[in-house]
Amino acid sequence: IFAKKVGDTVMRLNTIGLNTAIVAGHSSETGAVTRTLHGGGHDPDDSGFTLQTADFGMTGSVDGYFDGEFHITYFLNEGGESTVEIEEAFLRTNNLPNGFEVEAGQQFLEFGNFNPKHLHDWDFIDQPFILTRMLGGDGIRQTGVRLGWKAKSSPIGMHFGAYNPDGETMKSFLASDETIGGRTFRTQEVQGVSDLVYLARLETHGDLSRKTHFDFGVSALTGPNSTSNDASTQIYGVDLKLKRMLPGDRQFTWQTEFLYRQYELGTDNNLGLVSTDLEDYGFYTQAMYEFAPKFSVGLRFEHATGDEDGTTARADDDDRSDRNRFSPMLRWAFAPLGDVRLQYNLDNLDSLDATTGEDKAHAVWLGLRYGFGAGGEFWAGDHGHKH
């Protein structure tokens, strides 16, 4: 879009764009119950209309040595108030030897397949609830630094990162306004490198046949949590994606992701609480089939469960009780940067029975996404550089 030479350096603005997502629909539940079922920060939060996001993004480069990205999102919260957040703002090296790269700044952590994606790249309208439970409604993102490695001749890549552990986007760690297992978080300051959250990821890809491609990864996070000064959290994940090209320029995609969390509830002598390890685990699995030009159908199933009770019994805890969700979806891509999706959710949540007298809930959502931009394909999909 724009280039300017400053001394011997050429600085470029490569892409700039705006993506917007709006949802209308109806849930069989209302108010706080609906927001419990759709706990993602950009999920539809009640019957009626929801502005999921208006996402402004731009990318640039400096002589090919550095890339930079900046993403800011505007949306309306559940009270109808305007909210603006910086989702990502980072620099990434592009010319280090031996396949190494460094990324520094505010970024979505590269845990699994789903978390690094922006909303305009989601297949379904809402976030899988297993990610909401473990990584938070806005996904896990913070300021930090990440070292990556991928040799040109190797299908294997590795990521190692260190990030600030606090803030509302660091659920399961030193989040400021969350409770897990019924235990209220304590204020806790970062005192050294041992208090940071650390990420490790190993990923690989390849072709199973001439028309079938796979991506596979394992991820791990470890860091402190706020239930005591020495309590910690570990989260592990495995993700797999298969893409099969079909005759007539059609395609079939299957994607699944499993997460496991061990969350230590630290000792609290003031309340007479002893240390306990909570275990939570679950998965989502989804398939997308493009059956005609511009038309696709999708099907997603999600499940979550766990072990051990916290201060609140697990069966009564909306964020830990057994849960399933079944979601069929129809998509019409009316433009390269625009689509309409119709999605139905059938939720089964054990703790819902104590609140409503029923353990099932229904919702129907109609979503519209569209984008405007210049300088390249800023709606990344399968083609963009995901960190």
Side-chain angles (χ1 to χ4, degrees):
I1 297 175
F2 173 80
K4 183 175 179 60
K5 189 171 184 179
V6 181
D8 294 330
T9 301
V10 178
M11 306 186 69
R12 295 178 173 86
L13 176 63
N14 295 328
T15 67
I16 185 169
L18 176 69
N19 291 280
T20 302
I22 304 169
V23 173
H26 173 74
S27 172
S28 63
E29 309 302 326
T30 59
V33 177
T34 300
R35 287 186 284 276
T36 295
L37 294 171
H38 306 93
H42 299 281
D43 287 358
D45 58 16
D46 212 338
S47 295
F49 297 91
T50 301
L51 175 62
Q52 290 184 285
T53 187
D55 183 358
F56 172 80
M58 57 191 299
T59 67
S61 61
V62 179
D63 268 351
Y65 293 102
F66 294 94
D67 283 340
E69 293 192 26
F70 177 76
H71 300 272
I72 187 169
T73 182
Y74 167 87
F75 61 97
L76 301 176
N77 64 20
E78 61 189 56
E81 298 177 347
S82 297
T83 302
V84 178
E85 295 180 350
I86 296 177
E87 287 192 322
E88 293 193 289
F90 61 83
L91 284 176
R92 178 181 53 245
T93 62
N94 258 346
N95 203 29
L96 295 182
N98 301 317
F100 287 99
E101 66 175 20
V102 176
E103 185 173 289
Q106 172 81 0
Q107 54 198 263
F108 281 106
L109 275 62
E110 290 158 304
F111 184 99
N113 182 286
F114 188 92
N115 188 75
K117 292 182 178 179
H118 291 263
L119 184 146
H120 49 259
D121 292 322
W122 296 0
D123 291 320
F124 287 75
I125 287 175
D126 44 14
Q127 176 172 279
F129 63 72
I130 188 63
L131 278 87
T132 302
R133 285 189 172 192
M134 297 189 186
L135 306 183
D138 290 315
I140 188 165
R141 52 184 169 89
Q142 247 298 3
T143 303
V145 62
R146 188 269 285 160
L147 173 67
W149 174 83
K150 184 178 180 181
K152 292 183 178 180
S153 59
S154 172
I156 297 175
M158 293 182 289
H159 297 154
F160 301 96
Y163 304 88
N164 289 336
D166 48 2
E168 63 180 357
T169 59
M170 295 301 286
K171 183 175 181 177
S172 298
F173 299 101
L174 300 188
S176 57
D177 59 354
E178 299 281 354
T179 60
I180 293 179
R183 187 76 69 86
T184 302
F185 282 10
R186 305 172 359 157
T187 300
Q188 185 171 322
E189 295 184 358
V190 179
Q191 299 180 352
V193 294
S194 62
D195 293 329
L196 299 177
V197 170
Y198 292 93
L199 163 76
R201 176 167 173 80
L202 176 66
E203 58 188 21
T204 187
H205 63 87
D207 294 323
L208 298 177
S209 68
R210 187 170 60 89
K211 295 184 177 181
T212 304
H213 181 83
F214 78 91
D215 295 279
F216 176 77
V218 292
S219 308
L221 288 169
T222 183
N225 70 54
S226 292
T227 59
S228 74
N229 291 332
D230 56 357
S232 64
T233 302
Q234 290 79 42
I235 305 176
Y236 305 98
V238 179
D239 58 274
L240 173 65
K241 184 175 183 178
L242 296 175
K243 184 175 180 180
R244 171 76 175 176
M245 301 305 298
L246 302 173
D249 291 329
R250 295 173 296 123
Q251 67 181 35
F252 174 83
T253 304
W254 175 62
Q255 176 178 316
T256 191
E257 195 163 349
F258 174 85
L259 284 80
Y260 168 86
R261 176 179 67 190
Q262 181 172 300
Y263 186 87
E264 181 184 2
L265 295 179
T267 302
D268 191 326
N269 294 324
N270 293 329
L271 298 177
L273 300 174
V274 299
S275 178
T276 304
D277 285 343
L278 305 182
E279 294 183 338
D280 297 283
Y281 42 94
F283 68 91
Y284 73 88
T285 186
Q286 67 182 52
M288 295 289 298
Y289 171 55
E290 183 180 352
F291 64 90
K294 301 184 179 181
F295 285 92
S296 304
V297 291
L299 187 64
R300 184 175 71 187
F301 177 74
E302 308 171 59
H303 173 74
T305 185
D307 295 313
E308 304 300 331
D309 292 334
T311 307
T312 302
R314 191 179 69 82
D316 300 325
D317 190 337
D318 292 335
D319 205 37
R320 298 193 63 236
S321 67
D322 290 351
R323 182 176 180 185
N324 299 302
R325 178 192 279 168
F326 174 76
S327 303
M329 186 265 292
L330 174 66
R331 174 177 182 252
W332 170 45
F334 60 84
L337 298 181
D339 65 15
V340 174
R341 292 169 297 170
L342 178 64
Q343 179 176 323
Y344 165 73
N345 287 350
L346 172 61
D347 268 294
N348 187 318
L349 175 64
D350 282 1
S351 61
L352 189 65
D353 184 62
T355 304
T356 67
E358 298 180 359
D359 61 0
K360 291 183 174 60
H362 308 266
V364 178
W365 307 116
L366 181 65
L368 168 66
R369 291 188 298 188
Y370 58 91
F372 303 98
E377 185 69 82
F378 64 91
W379 189 344
D382 289 330
H383 308 287
H385 183 77
K386 186 183 66 178
H387 293 262

